[in-house]
mmCIF file with all atom_site columns, all heavy atoms in Angstrom:
data_model
loop_
_atom_site.group_PDB
_atom_site.id
_atom_site.type_symbol
_atom_site.label_atom_id
_atom_site.label_alt_id
_atom_site.label_comp_id
_atom_site.label_asym_id
_atom_site.label_entity_id
_atom_site.label_seq_id
_atom_site.pdbx_PDB_ins_code
_atom_site.Cartn_x
_atom_site.Cartn_y
_atom_site.Cartn_z
_atom_site.occupancy
_atom_site.B_iso_or_equiv
_atom_site.pdbx_formal_charge
_atom_site.auth_seq_id
_atom_site.auth_comp_id
_atom_site.auth_asym_id
_atom_site.auth_atom_id
_atom_site.pdbx_PDB_model_num
ATOM 1   N N   . GLU F 1 1  ? 227.611 64.954 26.687 1.00 92.00 ? 29 GLU F N   1
ATOM 2   C CA  . GLU F 1 1  ? 228.154 65.638 27.847 1.00 92.00 ? 29 GLU F CA  1
ATOM 3   C C   . GLU F 1 1  ? 229.441 66.400 27.481 1.00 92.00 ? 29 GLU F C   1
ATOM 4   O O   . GLU F 1 1  ? 229.715 67.451 28.073 1.00 92.00 ? 29 GLU F O   1
ATOM 5   C CB  . GLU F 1 1  ? 228.451 64.621 28.958 1.00 92.00 ? 29 GLU F CB  1
ATOM 6   C CG  . GLU F 1 1  ? 228.983 65.218 30.237 1.00 92.00 ? 29 GLU F CG  1
ATOM 7   C CD  . GLU F 1 1  ? 229.245 64.197 31.337 1.00 92.00 ? 29 GLU F CD  1
ATOM 8   O OE1 . GLU F 1 1  ? 229.138 62.982 31.080 1.00 92.00 ? 29 GLU F OE1 1
ATOM 9   O OE2 . GLU F 1 1  ? 229.600 64.615 32.437 1.00 92.00 ? 29 GLU F OE2 1
ATOM 10  N N   . PHE F 1 2  ? 230.204 65.899 26.571 1.00 90.00 ? 30 PHE F N   1
ATOM 11  C CA  . PHE F 1 2  ? 231.477 66.520 26.190 1.00 90.00 ? 30 PHE F CA  1
ATOM 12  C C   . PHE F 1 2  ? 231.424 67.163 24.793 1.00 90.00 ? 30 PHE F C   1
ATOM 13  O O   . PHE F 1 2  ? 232.477 67.459 24.226 1.00 90.00 ? 30 PHE F O   1
ATOM 14  C CB  . PHE F 1 2  ? 232.620 65.499 26.239 1.00 90.00 ? 30 PHE F CB  1
ATOM 15  C CG  . PHE F 1 2  ? 232.983 65.083 27.644 1.00 90.00 ? 30 PHE F CG  1
ATOM 16  C CD1 . PHE F 1 2  ? 232.502 63.906 28.163 1.00 90.00 ? 30 PHE F CD1 1
ATOM 17  C CD2 . PHE F 1 2  ? 233.804 65.881 28.433 1.00 90.00 ? 30 PHE F CD2 1
ATOM 18  C CE1 . PHE F 1 2  ? 232.834 63.514 29.454 1.00 90.00 ? 30 PHE F CE1 1
ATOM 19  C CE2 . PHE F 1 2  ? 234.145 65.502 29.714 1.00 90.00 ? 30 PHE F CE2 1
ATOM 20  C CZ  . PHE F 1 2  ? 233.651 64.296 30.215 1.00 90.00 ? 30 PHE F CZ  1
ATOM 21  N N   . SER F 1 3  ? 230.249 67.371 24.242 1.00 96.00 ? 31 SER F N   1
ATOM 22  C CA  . SER F 1 3  ? 230.127 67.891 22.875 1.00 96.00 ? 31 SER F CA  1
ATOM 23  C C   . SER F 1 3  ? 229.498 69.277 22.845 1.00 96.00 ? 31 SER F C   1
ATOM 24  O O   . SER F 1 3  ? 228.640 69.601 23.674 1.00 96.00 ? 31 SER F O   1
ATOM 25  C CB  . SER F 1 3  ? 229.276 66.945 22.017 1.00 96.00 ? 31 SER F CB  1
ATOM 26  O OG  . SER F 1 3  ? 229.909 65.684 21.878 1.00 96.00 ? 31 SER F OG  1
ATOM 27  N N   . THR F 1 4  ? 229.928 70.073 21.870 1.00 96.00 ? 32 THR F N   1
ATOM 28  C CA  . THR F 1 4  ? 229.338 71.400 21.615 1.00 96.00 ? 32 THR F CA  1
ATOM 29  C C   . THR F 1 4  ? 229.297 71.563 20.086 1.00 96.00 ? 32 THR F C   1
ATOM 30  O O   . THR F 1 4  ? 229.703 70.647 19.348 1.00 96.00 ? 32 THR F O   1
ATOM 31  C CB  . THR F 1 4  ? 230.194 72.516 22.199 1.00 96.00 ? 32 THR F CB  1
ATOM 32  O OG1 . THR F 1 4  ? 231.444 72.598 21.496 1.00 96.00 ? 32 THR F OG1 1
ATOM 33  C CG2 . THR F 1 4  ? 230.473 72.314 23.679 1.00 96.00 ? 32 THR F CG2 1
ATOM 34  N N   . ALA F 1 5  ? 228.885 72.686 19.630 1.00 95.00 ? 33 ALA F N   1
ATOM 35  C CA  . ALA F 1 5  ? 228.889 72.949 18.178 1.00 95.00 ? 33 ALA F CA  1
ATOM 36  C C   . ALA F 1 5  ? 230.322 73.036 17.637 1.00 95.00 ? 33 ALA F C   1
ATOM 37  O O   . ALA F 1 5  ? 230.556 72.775 16.475 1.00 95.00 ? 33 ALA F O   1
ATOM 38  C CB  . ALA F 1 5  ? 228.147 74.263 17.901 1.00 95.00 ? 33 ALA F CB  1
ATOM 39  N N   . ARG F 1 6  ? 231.304 73.318 18.494 1.00 97.00 ? 34 ARG F N   1
ATOM 40  C CA  . ARG F 1 6  ? 232.691 73.480 18.060 1.00 97.00 ? 34 ARG F CA  1
ATOM 41  C C   . ARG F 1 6  ? 233.526 72.218 18.261 1.00 97.00 ? 34 ARG F C   1
ATOM 42  O O   . ARG F 1 6  ? 234.683 72.148 17.837 1.00 97.00 ? 34 ARG F O   1
ATOM 43  C CB  . ARG F 1 6  ? 233.326 74.645 18.782 1.00 97.00 ? 34 ARG F CB  1
ATOM 44  C CG  . ARG F 1 6  ? 232.601 75.951 18.420 1.00 97.00 ? 34 ARG F CG  1
ATOM 45  C CD  . ARG F 1 6  ? 233.269 77.149 18.995 1.00 97.00 ? 34 ARG F CD  1
ATOM 46  N NE  . ARG F 1 6  ? 234.657 77.185 18.650 1.00 97.00 ? 34 ARG F NE  1
ATOM 47  C CZ  . ARG F 1 6  ? 235.584 77.802 19.382 1.00 97.00 ? 34 ARG F CZ  1
ATOM 48  N NH1 . ARG F 1 6  ? 235.251 78.370 20.520 1.00 97.00 ? 34 ARG F NH1 1
ATOM 49  N NH2 . ARG F 1 6  ? 236.838 77.816 19.015 1.00 97.00 ? 34 ARG F NH2 1
ATOM 50  N N   . GLY F 1 7  ? 232.941 71.224 18.948 1.00 98.00 ? 35 GLY F N   1
ATOM 51  C CA  . GLY F 1 7  ? 233.664 69.987 19.196 1.00 98.00 ? 35 GLY F CA  1
ATOM 52  C C   . GLY F 1 7  ? 232.718 68.852 19.511 1.00 98.00 ? 35 GLY F C   1
ATOM 53  O O   . GLY F 1 7  ? 231.755 69.043 20.244 1.00 98.00 ? 35 GLY F O   1
ATOM 54  N N   . ALA F 1 8  ? 233.002 67.703 18.928 1.00 98.00 ? 36 ALA F N   1
ATOM 55  C CA  . ALA F 1 8  ? 232.171 66.517 19.172 1.00 98.00 ? 36 ALA F CA  1
ATOM 56  C C   . ALA F 1 8  ? 233.022 65.441 19.834 1.00 98.00 ? 36 ALA F C   1
ATOM 57  O O   . ALA F 1 8  ? 234.119 65.114 19.360 1.00 98.00 ? 36 ALA F O   1
ATOM 58  C CB  . ALA F 1 8  ? 231.586 65.997 17.873 1.00 98.00 ? 36 ALA F CB  1
ATOM 59  N N   . ALA F 1 9  ? 232.516 64.917 20.930 1.00 98.00 ? 37 ALA F N   1
ATOM 60  C CA  . ALA F 1 9  ? 233.171 63.814 21.629 1.00 98.00 ? 37 ALA F CA  1
ATOM 61  C C   . ALA F 1 9  ? 232.558 62.520 21.099 1.00 98.00 ? 37 ALA F C   1
ATOM 62  O O   . ALA F 1 9  ? 231.381 62.266 21.296 1.00 98.00 ? 37 ALA F O   1
ATOM 63  C CB  . ALA F 1 9  ? 232.948 63.925 23.135 1.00 98.00 ? 37 ALA F CB  1
ATOM 64  N N   . MET F 1 10 ? 233.382 61.740 20.411 1.00 98.00 ? 38 MET F N   1
ATOM 65  C CA  . MET F 1 10 ? 232.896 60.495 19.805 1.00 98.00 ? 38 MET F CA  1
ATOM 66  C C   . MET F 1 10 ? 233.574 59.335 20.544 1.00 98.00 ? 38 MET F C   1
ATOM 67  O O   . MET F 1 10 ? 234.773 59.134 20.464 1.00 98.00 ? 38 MET F O   1
ATOM 68  C CB  . MET F 1 10 ? 233.238 60.472 18.316 1.00 98.00 ? 38 MET F CB  1
ATOM 69  C CG  . MET F 1 10 ? 232.701 61.665 17.548 1.00 98.00 ? 38 MET F CG  1
ATOM 70  S SD  . MET F 1 10 ? 230.892 61.813 17.587 1.00 98.00 ? 38 MET F SD  1
ATOM 71  C CE  . MET F 1 10 ? 230.427 60.387 16.639 1.00 98.00 ? 38 MET F CE  1
ATOM 72  N N   . GLN F 1 11 ? 232.756 58.575 21.261 1.00 97.00 ? 39 GLN F N   1
ATOM 73  C CA  . GLN F 1 11 ? 233.273 57.493 22.100 1.00 97.00 ? 39 GLN F CA  1
ATOM 74  C C   . GLN F 1 11 ? 233.407 56.191 21.310 1.00 97.00 ? 39 GLN F C   1
ATOM 75  O O   . GLN F 1 11 ? 232.451 55.724 20.678 1.00 97.00 ? 39 GLN F O   1
ATOM 76  C CB  . GLN F 1 11 ? 232.372 57.274 23.316 1.00 97.00 ? 39 GLN F CB  1
ATOM 77  C CG  . GLN F 1 11 ? 232.998 56.373 24.338 1.00 97.00 ? 39 GLN F CG  1
ATOM 78  C CD  . GLN F 1 11 ? 232.343 56.489 25.699 1.00 97.00 ? 39 GLN F CD  1
ATOM 79  O OE1 . GLN F 1 11 ? 231.333 57.134 25.868 1.00 97.00 ? 39 GLN F OE1 1
ATOM 80  N NE2 . GLN F 1 11 ? 232.946 55.833 26.677 1.00 97.00 ? 39 GLN F NE2 1
ATOM 81  N N   . TRP F 1 12 ? 234.622 55.617 21.383 1.00 95.00 ? 40 TRP F N   1
ATOM 82  C CA  . TRP F 1 12 ? 234.903 54.342 20.707 1.00 95.00 ? 40 TRP F CA  1
ATOM 83  C C   . TRP F 1 12 ? 234.602 53.197 21.639 1.00 95.00 ? 40 TRP F C   1
ATOM 84  O O   . TRP F 1 12 ? 234.019 52.194 21.228 1.00 95.00 ? 40 TRP F O   1
ATOM 85  C CB  . TRP F 1 12 ? 236.388 54.340 20.286 1.00 95.00 ? 40 TRP F CB  1
ATOM 86  C CG  . TRP F 1 12 ? 236.884 53.019 19.799 1.00 95.00 ? 40 TRP F CG  1
ATOM 87  C CD1 . TRP F 1 12 ? 237.767 52.200 20.450 1.00 95.00 ? 40 TRP F CD1 1
ATOM 88  C CD2 . TRP F 1 12 ? 236.525 52.340 18.601 1.00 95.00 ? 40 TRP F CD2 1
ATOM 89  N NE1 . TRP F 1 12 ? 237.984 51.058 19.718 1.00 95.00 ? 40 TRP F NE1 1
ATOM 90  C CE2 . TRP F 1 12 ? 237.223 51.133 18.572 1.00 95.00 ? 40 TRP F CE2 1
ATOM 91  C CE3 . TRP F 1 12 ? 235.672 52.647 17.549 1.00 95.00 ? 40 TRP F CE3 1
ATOM 92  C CZ2 . TRP F 1 12 ? 237.120 50.223 17.545 1.00 95.00 ? 40 TRP F CZ2 1
ATOM 93  C CZ3 . TRP F 1 12 ? 235.545 51.740 16.515 1.00 95.00 ? 40 TRP F CZ3 1
ATOM 94  C CH2 . TRP F 1 12 ? 236.261 50.534 16.516 1.00 95.00 ? 40 TRP F CH2 1
ATOM 95  N N   . ALA F 1 13 ? 235.016 53.311 22.870 1.00 93.00 ? 41 ALA F N   1
ATOM 96  C CA  . ALA F 1 13 ? 234.794 52.267 23.893 1.00 93.00 ? 41 ALA F CA  1
ATOM 97  C C   . ALA F 1 13 ? 234.880 52.961 25.254 1.00 93.00 ? 41 ALA F C   1
ATOM 98  O O   . ALA F 1 13 ? 235.230 54.141 25.330 1.00 93.00 ? 41 ALA F O   1
ATOM 99  C CB  . ALA F 1 13 ? 235.888 51.203 23.777 1.00 93.00 ? 41 ALA F CB  1
ATOM 100 N N   . ALA F 1 14 ? 234.557 52.238 26.289 1.00 91.00 ? 42 ALA F N   1
ATOM 101 C CA  . ALA F 1 14 ? 234.647 52.811 27.652 1.00 91.00 ? 42 ALA F CA  1
ATOM 102 C C   . ALA F 1 14 ? 236.055 53.332 27.848 1.00 91.00 ? 42 ALA F C   1
ATOM 103 O O   . ALA F 1 14 ? 237.033 52.596 27.699 1.00 91.00 ? 42 ALA F O   1
ATOM 104 C CB  . ALA F 1 14 ? 234.306 51.782 28.691 1.00 91.00 ? 42 ALA F CB  1
ATOM 105 N N   . GLY F 1 15 ? 236.181 54.628 28.124 1.00 90.00 ? 43 GLY F N   1
ATOM 106 C CA  . GLY F 1 15 ? 237.477 55.206 28.370 1.00 90.00 ? 43 GLY F CA  1
ATOM 107 C C   . GLY F 1 15 ? 238.239 55.662 27.152 1.00 90.00 ? 43 GLY F C   1
ATOM 108 O O   . GLY F 1 15 ? 239.342 56.186 27.299 1.00 90.00 ? 43 GLY F O   1
ATOM 109 N N   . ILE F 1 16 ? 237.711 55.497 25.950 1.00 94.00 ? 44 ILE F N   1
ATOM 110 C CA  . ILE F 1 16 ? 238.414 55.916 24.727 1.00 94.00 ? 44 ILE F CA  1
ATOM 111 C C   . ILE F 1 16 ? 237.490 56.803 23.910 1.00 94.00 ? 44 ILE F C   1
ATOM 112 O O   . ILE F 1 16 ? 236.464 56.356 23.370 1.00 94.00 ? 44 ILE F O   1
ATOM 113 C CB  . ILE F 1 16 ? 238.850 54.700 23.872 1.00 94.00 ? 44 ILE F CB  1
ATOM 114 C CG1 . ILE F 1 16 ? 239.730 53.779 24.692 1.00 94.00 ? 44 ILE F CG1 1
ATOM 115 C CG2 . ILE F 1 16 ? 239.567 55.181 22.607 1.00 94.00 ? 44 ILE F CG2 1
ATOM 116 C CD1 . ILE F 1 16 ? 240.071 52.468 24.012 1.00 94.00 ? 44 ILE F CD1 1
ATOM 117 N N   . THR F 1 17 ? 237.874 58.097 23.818 1.00 96.00 ? 45 THR F N   1
ATOM 118 C CA  . THR F 1 17 ? 237.053 59.070 23.111 1.00 96.00 ? 45 THR F CA  1
ATOM 119 C C   . THR F 1 17 ? 237.914 59.847 22.141 1.00 96.00 ? 45 THR F C   1
ATOM 120 O O   . THR F 1 17 ? 239.037 60.267 22.449 1.00 96.00 ? 45 THR F O   1
ATOM 121 C CB  . THR F 1 17 ? 236.405 60.051 24.121 1.00 96.00 ? 45 THR F CB  1
ATOM 122 O OG1 . THR F 1 17 ? 235.616 59.297 25.060 1.00 96.00 ? 45 THR F OG1 1
ATOM 123 C CG2 . THR F 1 17 ? 235.531 61.056 23.431 1.00 96.00 ? 45 THR F CG2 1
ATOM 124 N N   . VAL F 1 18 ? 237.373 60.078 20.939 1.00 97.00 ? 46 VAL F N   1
ATOM 125 C CA  . VAL F 1 18 ? 238.027 60.921 19.949 1.00 97.00 ? 46 VAL F CA  1
ATOM 126 C C   . VAL F 1 18 ? 237.297 62.264 19.977 1.00 97.00 ? 46 VAL F C   1
ATOM 127 O O   . VAL F 1 18 ? 236.077 62.319 19.784 1.00 97.00 ? 46 VAL F O   1
ATOM 128 C CB  . VAL F 1 18 ? 237.969 60.298 18.541 1.00 97.00 ? 46 VAL F CB  1
ATOM 129 C CG1 . VAL F 1 18 ? 238.523 61.266 17.495 1.00 97.00 ? 46 VAL F CG1 1
ATOM 130 C CG2 . VAL F 1 18 ? 238.757 58.995 18.522 1.00 97.00 ? 46 VAL F CG2 1
ATOM 131 N N   . MET F 1 19 ? 238.021 63.331 20.256 1.00 97.00 ? 47 MET F N   1
ATOM 132 C CA  . MET F 1 19 ? 237.474 64.681 20.299 1.00 97.00 ? 47 MET F CA  1
ATOM 133 C C   . MET F 1 19 ? 237.718 65.327 18.929 1.00 97.00 ? 47 MET F C   1
ATOM 134 O O   . MET F 1 19 ? 238.862 65.495 18.516 1.00 97.00 ? 47 MET F O   1
ATOM 135 C CB  . MET F 1 19 ? 238.144 65.512 21.398 1.00 97.00 ? 47 MET F CB  1
ATOM 136 C CG  . MET F 1 19 ? 237.935 64.995 22.807 1.00 97.00 ? 47 MET F CG  1
ATOM 137 S SD  . MET F 1 19 ? 236.223 65.046 23.366 1.00 97.00 ? 47 MET F SD  1
ATOM 138 C CE  . MET F 1 19 ? 235.870 66.783 23.342 1.00 97.00 ? 47 MET F CE  1
ATOM 139 N N   . LEU F 1 20 ? 236.651 65.662 18.254 1.00 98.00 ? 48 LEU F N   1
ATOM 140 C CA  . LEU F 1 20 ? 236.722 66.312 16.944 1.00 98.00 ? 48 LEU F CA  1
ATOM 141 C C   . LEU F 1 20 ? 236.513 67.805 17.161 1.00 98.00 ? 48 LEU F C   1
ATOM 142 O O   . LEU F 1 20 ? 235.396 68.242 17.465 1.00 98.00 ? 48 LEU F O   1
ATOM 143 C CB  . LEU F 1 20 ? 235.664 65.724 16.007 1.00 98.00 ? 48 LEU F CB  1
ATOM 144 C CG  . LEU F 1 20 ? 235.669 64.198 15.892 1.00 98.00 ? 48 LEU F CG  1
ATOM 145 C CD1 . LEU F 1 20 ? 234.448 63.695 15.160 1.00 98.00 ? 48 LEU F CD1 1
ATOM 146 C CD2 . LEU F 1 20 ? 236.967 63.734 15.216 1.00 98.00 ? 48 LEU F CD2 1
ATOM 147 N N   . LEU F 1 21 ? 237.566 68.594 17.030 1.00 98.00 ? 49 LEU F N   1
ATOM 148 C CA  . LEU F 1 21 ? 237.527 69.997 17.377 1.00 98.00 ? 49 LEU F CA  1
ATOM 149 C C   . LEU F 1 21 ? 237.741 70.867 16.148 1.00 98.00 ? 49 LEU F C   1
ATOM 150 O O   . LEU F 1 21 ? 238.647 70.602 15.335 1.00 98.00 ? 49 LEU F O   1
ATOM 151 C CB  . LEU F 1 21 ? 238.605 70.306 18.409 1.00 98.00 ? 49 LEU F CB  1
ATOM 152 C CG  . LEU F 1 21 ? 238.640 69.431 19.649 1.00 98.00 ? 49 LEU F CG  1
ATOM 153 C CD1 . LEU F 1 21 ? 239.849 69.736 20.509 1.00 98.00 ? 49 LEU F CD1 1
ATOM 154 C CD2 . LEU F 1 21 ? 237.345 69.560 20.443 1.00 98.00 ? 49 LEU F CD2 1
ATOM 155 N N   . ASP F 1 22 ? 236.941 71.949 16.028 1.00 98.00 ? 50 ASP F N   1
ATOM 156 C CA  . ASP F 1 22 ? 237.184 72.862 14.906 1.00 98.00 ? 50 ASP F CA  1
ATOM 157 C C   . ASP F 1 22 ? 238.582 73.465 15.101 1.00 98.00 ? 50 ASP F C   1
ATOM 158 O O   . ASP F 1 22 ? 239.144 73.457 16.200 1.00 98.00 ? 50 ASP F O   1
ATOM 159 C CB  . ASP F 1 22 ? 236.086 73.888 14.745 1.00 98.00 ? 50 ASP F CB  1
ATOM 160 C CG  . ASP F 1 22 ? 235.983 74.954 15.841 1.00 98.00 ? 50 ASP F CG  1
ATOM 161 O OD1 . ASP F 1 22 ? 236.997 75.243 16.530 1.00 98.00 ? 50 ASP F OD1 1
ATOM 162 O OD2 . ASP F 1 22 ? 234.886 75.498 16.006 1.00 98.00 ? 50 ASP F OD2 1
ATOM 163 N N   . HIS F 1 23 ? 239.167 73.956 14.046 1.00 97.00 ? 51 HIS F N   1
ATOM 164 C CA  . HIS F 1 23 ? 240.569 74.437 14.066 1.00 97.00 ? 51 HIS F CA  1
ATOM 165 C C   . HIS F 1 23 ? 240.772 75.523 15.112 1.00 97.00 ? 51 HIS F C   1
ATOM 166 O O   . HIS F 1 23 ? 241.813 75.513 15.805 1.00 97.00 ? 51 HIS F O   1
ATOM 167 C CB  . HIS F 1 23 ? 241.006 74.885 12.698 1.00 97.00 ? 51 HIS F CB  1
ATOM 168 C CG  . HIS F 1 23 ? 241.283 73.743 11.766 1.00 97.00 ? 51 HIS F CG  1
ATOM 169 N ND1 . HIS F 1 23 ? 242.503 73.536 11.188 1.00 97.00 ? 51 HIS F ND1 1
ATOM 170 C CD2 . HIS F 1 23 ? 240.494 72.747 11.336 1.00 97.00 ? 51 HIS F CD2 1
ATOM 171 C CE1 . HIS F 1 23 ? 242.477 72.470 10.427 1.00 97.00 ? 51 HIS F CE1 1
ATOM 172 N NE2 . HIS F 1 23 ? 241.258 71.966 10.492 1.00 97.00 ? 51 HIS F NE2 1
ATOM 173 N N   . GLU F 1 24 ? 239.835 76.427 15.243 1.00 97.00 ? 52 GLU F N   1
ATOM 174 C CA  . GLU F 1 24 ? 239.978 77.535 16.223 1.00 97.00 ? 52 GLU F CA  1
ATOM 175 C C   . GLU F 1 24 ? 240.030 76.981 17.656 1.00 97.00 ? 52 GLU F C   1
ATOM 176 O O   . GLU F 1 24 ? 240.853 77.402 18.450 1.00 97.00 ? 52 GLU F O   1
ATOM 177 C CB  . GLU F 1 24 ? 238.816 78.505 16.047 1.00 97.00 ? 52 GLU F CB  1
ATOM 178 C CG  . GLU F 1 24 ? 238.937 79.748 16.909 1.00 97.00 ? 52 GLU F CG  1
ATOM 179 C CD  . GLU F 1 24 ? 237.777 80.702 16.656 1.00 97.00 ? 52 GLU F CD  1
ATOM 180 O OE1 . GLU F 1 24 ? 237.580 81.089 15.492 1.00 97.00 ? 52 GLU F OE1 1
ATOM 181 O OE2 . GLU F 1 24 ? 237.110 81.052 17.646 1.00 97.00 ? 52 GLU F OE2 1
ATOM 182 N N   . LEU F 1 25 ? 239.149 76.072 17.977 1.00 97.00 ? 53 LEU F N   1
ATOM 183 C CA  . LEU F 1 25 ? 239.149 75.476 19.313 1.00 97.00 ? 53 LEU F CA  1
ATOM 184 C C   . LEU F 1 25 ? 240.398 74.623 19.534 1.00 97.00 ? 53 LEU F C   1
ATOM 185 O O   . LEU F 1 25 ? 241.040 74.707 20.607 1.00 97.00 ? 53 LEU F O   1
ATOM 186 C CB  . LEU F 1 25 ? 237.890 74.633 19.533 1.00 97.00 ? 53 LEU F CB  1
ATOM 187 C CG  . LEU F 1 25 ? 237.727 73.968 20.903 1.00 97.00 ? 53 LEU F CG  1
ATOM 188 C CD1 . LEU F 1 25 ? 237.797 75.006 22.040 1.00 97.00 ? 53 LEU F CD1 1
ATOM 189 C CD2 . LEU F 1 25 ? 236.443 73.186 20.958 1.00 97.00 ? 53 LEU F CD2 1
ATOM 190 N N   . PHE F 1 26 ? 240.785 73.844 18.539 1.00 97.00 ? 54 PHE F N   1
ATOM 191 C CA  . PHE F 1 26 ? 241.998 73.012 18.670 1.00 97.00 ? 54 PHE F CA  1
ATOM 192 C C   . PHE F 1 26 ? 243.205 73.896 18.926 1.00 97.00 ? 54 PHE F C   1
ATOM 193 O O   . PHE F 1 26 ? 244.078 73.546 19.727 1.00 97.00 ? 54 PHE F O   1
ATOM 194 C CB  . PHE F 1 26 ? 242.210 72.173 17.402 1.00 97.00 ? 54 PHE F CB  1
ATOM 195 C CG  . PHE F 1 26 ? 243.308 71.155 17.526 1.00 97.00 ? 54 PHE F CG  1
ATOM 196 C CD1 . PHE F 1 26 ? 243.052 69.891 18.011 1.00 97.00 ? 54 PHE F CD1 1
ATOM 197 C CD2 . PHE F 1 26 ? 244.612 71.477 17.169 1.00 97.00 ? 54 PHE F CD2 1
ATOM 198 C CE1 . PHE F 1 26 ? 244.069 68.958 18.140 1.00 97.00 ? 54 PHE F CE1 1
ATOM 199 C CE2 . PHE F 1 26 ? 245.635 70.563 17.292 1.00 97.00 ? 54 PHE F CE2 1
ATOM 200 C CZ  . PHE F 1 26 ? 245.365 69.287 17.772 1.00 97.00 ? 54 PHE F CZ  1
ATOM 201 N N   . ALA F 1 27 ? 243.294 75.048 18.278 1.00 97.00 ? 55 ALA F N   1
ATOM 202 C CA  . ALA F 1 27 ? 244.422 75.947 18.412 1.00 97.00 ? 55 ALA F CA  1
ATOM 203 C C   . ALA F 1 27 ? 244.580 76.468 19.836 1.00 97.00 ? 55 ALA F C   1
ATOM 204 O O   . ALA F 1 27 ? 245.670 76.873 20.240 1.00 97.00 ? 55 ALA F O   1
ATOM 205 C CB  . ALA F 1 27 ? 244.312 77.104 17.446 1.00 97.00 ? 55 ALA F CB  1
ATOM 206 N N   . THR F 1 28 ? 243.502 76.450 20.650 1.00 96.00 ? 56 THR F N   1
ATOM 207 C CA  . THR F 1 28 ? 243.619 76.892 22.034 1.00 96.00 ? 56 THR F CA  1
ATOM 208 C C   . THR F 1 28 ? 244.337 75.849 22.895 1.00 96.00 ? 56 THR F C   1
ATOM 209 O O   . THR F 1 28 ? 244.736 76.157 24.034 1.00 96.00 ? 56 THR F O   1
ATOM 210 C CB  . THR F 1 28 ? 242.238 77.191 22.673 1.00 96.00 ? 56 THR F CB  1
ATOM 211 O OG1 . THR F 1 28 ? 241.498 75.974 22.798 1.00 96.00 ? 56 THR F OG1 1
ATOM 212 C CG2 . THR F 1 28 ? 241.477 78.200 21.838 1.00 96.00 ? 56 THR F CG2 1
ATOM 213 N N   . LEU F 1 29 ? 244.545 74.648 22.396 1.00 95.00 ? 57 LEU F N   1
ATOM 214 C CA  . LEU F 1 29 ? 245.178 73.568 23.159 1.00 95.00 ? 57 LEU F CA  1
ATOM 215 C C   . LEU F 1 29 ? 246.680 73.511 22.985 1.00 95.00 ? 57 LEU F C   1
ATOM 216 O O   . LEU F 1 29 ? 247.376 72.830 23.738 1.00 95.00 ? 57 LEU F O   1
ATOM 217 C CB  . LEU F 1 29 ? 244.595 72.211 22.751 1.00 95.00 ? 57 LEU F CB  1
ATOM 218 C CG  . LEU F 1 29 ? 243.081 72.056 22.925 1.00 95.00 ? 57 LEU F CG  1
ATOM 219 C CD1 . LEU F 1 29 ? 242.641 70.675 22.401 1.00 95.00 ? 57 LEU F CD1 1
ATOM 220 C CD2 . LEU F 1 29 ? 242.682 72.239 24.357 1.00 95.00 ? 57 LEU F CD2 1
ATOM 221 N N   . THR F 1 30 ? 247.207 74.208 21.985 1.00 95.00 ? 58 THR F N   1
ATOM 222 C CA  . THR F 1 30 ? 248.629 74.130 21.686 1.00 95.00 ? 58 THR F CA  1
ATOM 223 C C   . THR F 1 30 ? 249.126 75.423 21.024 1.00 95.00 ? 58 THR F C   1
ATOM 224 O O   . THR F 1 30 ? 248.399 76.002 20.221 1.00 95.00 ? 58 THR F O   1
ATOM 225 C CB  . THR F 1 30 ? 248.943 72.923 20.765 1.00 95.00 ? 58 THR F CB  1
ATOM 226 O OG1 . THR F 1 30 ? 250.337 72.884 20.468 1.00 95.00 ? 58 THR F OG1 1
ATOM 227 C CG2 . THR F 1 30 ? 248.157 72.983 19.454 1.00 95.00 ? 58 THR F CG2 1
ATOM 228 N N   . PRO F 1 31 ? 250.379 75.807 21.314 1.00 95.00 ? 59 PRO F N   1
ATOM 229 C CA  . PRO F 1 31 ? 250.926 76.960 20.611 1.00 95.00 ? 59 PRO F CA  1
ATOM 230 C C   . PRO F 1 31 ? 251.515 76.570 19.247 1.00 95.00 ? 59 PRO F C   1
ATOM 231 O O   . PRO F 1 31 ? 251.909 77.442 18.467 1.00 95.00 ? 59 PRO F O   1
ATOM 232 C CB  . PRO F 1 31 ? 252.039 77.444 21.578 1.00 95.00 ? 59 PRO F CB  1
ATOM 233 C CG  . PRO F 1 31 ? 252.465 76.184 22.254 1.00 95.00 ? 59 PRO F CG  1
ATOM 234 C CD  . PRO F 1 31 ? 251.213 75.337 22.409 1.00 95.00 ? 59 PRO F CD  1
ATOM 235 N N   . LYS F 1 32 ? 251.550 75.270 18.954 1.00 94.00 ? 60 LYS F N   1
ATOM 236 C CA  . LYS F 1 32 ? 252.144 74.801 17.706 1.00 94.00 ? 60 LYS F CA  1
ATOM 237 C C   . LYS F 1 32 ? 251.194 74.977 16.532 1.00 94.00 ? 60 LYS F C   1
ATOM 238 O O   . LYS F 1 32 ? 249.977 75.013 16.689 1.00 94.00 ? 60 LYS F O   1
ATOM 239 C CB  . LYS F 1 32 ? 252.541 73.327 17.808 1.00 94.00 ? 60 LYS F CB  1
ATOM 240 C CG  . LYS F 1 32 ? 253.619 73.041 18.799 1.00 94.00 ? 60 LYS F CG  1
ATOM 241 C CD  . LYS F 1 32 ? 253.942 71.571 18.816 1.00 94.00 ? 60 LYS F CD  1
ATOM 242 C CE  . LYS F 1 32 ? 255.038 71.246 19.780 1.00 94.00 ? 60 LYS F CE  1
ATOM 243 N NZ  . LYS F 1 32 ? 255.360 69.820 19.773 1.00 94.00 ? 60 LYS F NZ  1
#
């Protein structure tokens, strides 16, 4: 539900997810 080719949502436990985002997509989340 939360995954695409540019990002994978990997669920560890209920309510805890690690989002693996390609650098280009990650860069849209922060100006840093």
